[in-house]
Amino acid sequence: MKKNRIISLVTVAAAALVLAACGKSSSSNTITVGASPTPHAEILKHVQPELKKEGVNLKIKIFQDYVLPNKALASKDIDANYFQHVPFLDQWNQKNKGDLINAGKIHLEPIAVYSKKYKSLKDLPKGASVLVSSNVPDYGRVLQIFKDAGLITLKKGTDITNANFSDIATNKKDIKFKTGYEPKLMPQFYNNKQGDAEVINSNYAVQAGLNPTKDSIAIEKSSSPYANIIAIRPDEKNNKDIKKLVKALQSKSTQDWIKKHYKGTVLPAK
């Protein structure tokens, strides 16, 4: 009887060790992704249940600006981030001597021009002031919109993904592009009519209750190279959990959900 009791105790102890080991393994499958609240965090929340089935516990850390997410990723405070496009990432790496990389493109937030004074870009008067944020990697996107409208031309050989307002060759209406504003403040400037027109990123526009496809006077085309991506450190390149995350975000079901949920204000990446 005593011998059987000892065997039972050993069996229970062994089982406890197995459960502890399983618990430890499960916690190692947690990944933390930094994201802007809209639409990035919303899209991440959408794939959380699917990832849980795959054995991945996705934690989402919200950032309200474009400065901290890459710093947090580089310092290993988070495992990945989801808020930026490749031109922004390239500029950040160059400026900060970083080596963050693109793990996969997910969606496009078409940048758009808004105005409480005019109904189209062609209605803008001579010398009109257009307020643009301090986000330099977006300048090429802004220039492309005005180029498509026939209001400006660019210098020969200009690379739109690295373009600046100094690359304008001709400016038919002598439009004044005023830069240097915090991206998140652009909807406030629009509401206060501080310029003749304001350029607003879709995530901030949507947060402010604006619909880029309905409320803007001009919007970026869906063929834009500025798709938002999952960014990671090089040492995470073979991380299976991050690969599962990207796969879930790029799946047809998620892309269809993006189309339906955002009604054109956010587009699946092509």
Side-chain angles (χ1 to χ4, degrees):
M1 181 70 79
K2 187 175 181 181
K3 183 178 180 181
N4 288 339
R5 187 164 176 251
I6 292 172
I7 291 172
S8 297
L9 288 171
V10 170
T11 303
V12 170
L17 287 172
V18 170
L19 288 172
C22 289
K24 186 175 181 181
S25 175
S26 175
S27 65
S28 69
N29 287 340
T30 296
I31 56 172
T32 303
V33 180
S36 299
T38 305
H40 307 79
E42 296 169 350
I43 298 172
L44 289 173
K45 285 177 184 176
H46 174 73
V47 300
Q48 269 181 323
E50 181 182 344
L51 288 170
K52 195 167 186 178
K53 291 177 184 177
E54 294 282 330
V56 180
N57 178 28
L58 172 62
K59 289 189 175 181
I60 304 165
K61 184 173 182 178
I62 302 295
F63 289 91
Q64 296 288 351
D65 62 27
Y66 293 161
V67 177
L68 296 177
N70 279 337
K71 288 184 177 179
L73 180 57
S75 62
K76 299 188 177 182
D77 292 332
I78 56 177
D79 301 301
N81 67 39
Y82 179 31
F83 79 100
Q84 66 192 318
H85 48 63
V86 171
F88 184 97
L89 177 65
D90 289 344
Q91 188 196 63
W92 188 89
N93 278 334
Q94 185 177 9
K95 186 177 180 180
N96 296 276
K97 296 181 180 178
D99 59 355
L100 304 182
I101 59 175
N102 171 17
K105 59 183 182 179
I106 312 302
H107 76 269
L108 173 71
E109 296 171 37
I111 201 167
V113 185
Y114 299 79
S115 177
K116 283 188 174 288
K117 299 177 182 179
Y118 304 99
K119 293 184 178 180
S120 74
L121 290 186
K122 291 183 179 180
D123 290 338
L124 292 176
K126 285 272 188 180
S129 62
V130 176
L131 306 189
V132 183
S133 82
S134 58
N135 192 27
V136 176
D138 280 338
Y139 291 173
R141 308 171 75 181
V142 178
L143 291 168
Q144 187 67 57
I145 291 173
F146 281 82
K147 181 176 179 288
D148 289 343
L151 297 183
I152 65 169
T153 62
L154 300 176
K155 295 175 183 176
K156 189 176 180 180
T158 297
D159 175 5
I160 201 68
T161 61
N162 292 309
N164 209 316
F165 296 104
S166 60
D167 292 311
I168 295 174
T170 60
N171 188 340
K172 292 182 180 179
K173 293 197 172 188
D174 192 29
I175 294 168
K176 312 297 183 187
F177 293 97
K178 298 183 177 181
T179 64
Y181 306 97
E182 276 285 324
K184 62 185 177 183
L185 297 179
M186 299 309 294
Q188 182 180 323
F189 295 149
Y190 163 72
N191 287 325
N192 293 338
K193 302 179 185 179
Q194 290 187 233
D196 292 303
E198 295 78 22
V199 181
I200 309 176
N201 290 83
S202 278
N203 60 321
Y204 291 121
V206 172
Q207 285 180 52
L210 294 170
N211 185 316
T213 57
K214 293 180 181 179
D215 298 324
S216 68
I217 62 172
I219 191 168
E220 182 178 24
K221 293 180 178 178
S222 61
S223 57
S224 166
Y226 289 86
N228 279 219
I229 62 168
I230 293 291
I232 59 173
R233 296 183 303 277
D235 60 290
E236 298 282 7
K237 189 164 56 175
N238 297 316
N239 186 315
K240 292 181 181 179
D241 295 327
I242 289 177
K243 286 184 178 181
K244 288 178 182 178
L245 168 66
V246 173
K247 184 178 179 181
L249 290 169
Q250 291 179 336
S251 69
K252 186 178 185 302
S253 62
T254 300
Q255 299 287 284
D256 288 344
W257 180 84
I258 288 173
K259 289 179 187 176
K260 184 178 180 180
H261 187 75
Y262 293 104
K263 298 179 173 62
T265 60
V266 179
L267 304 170
K270 291 184 178 180

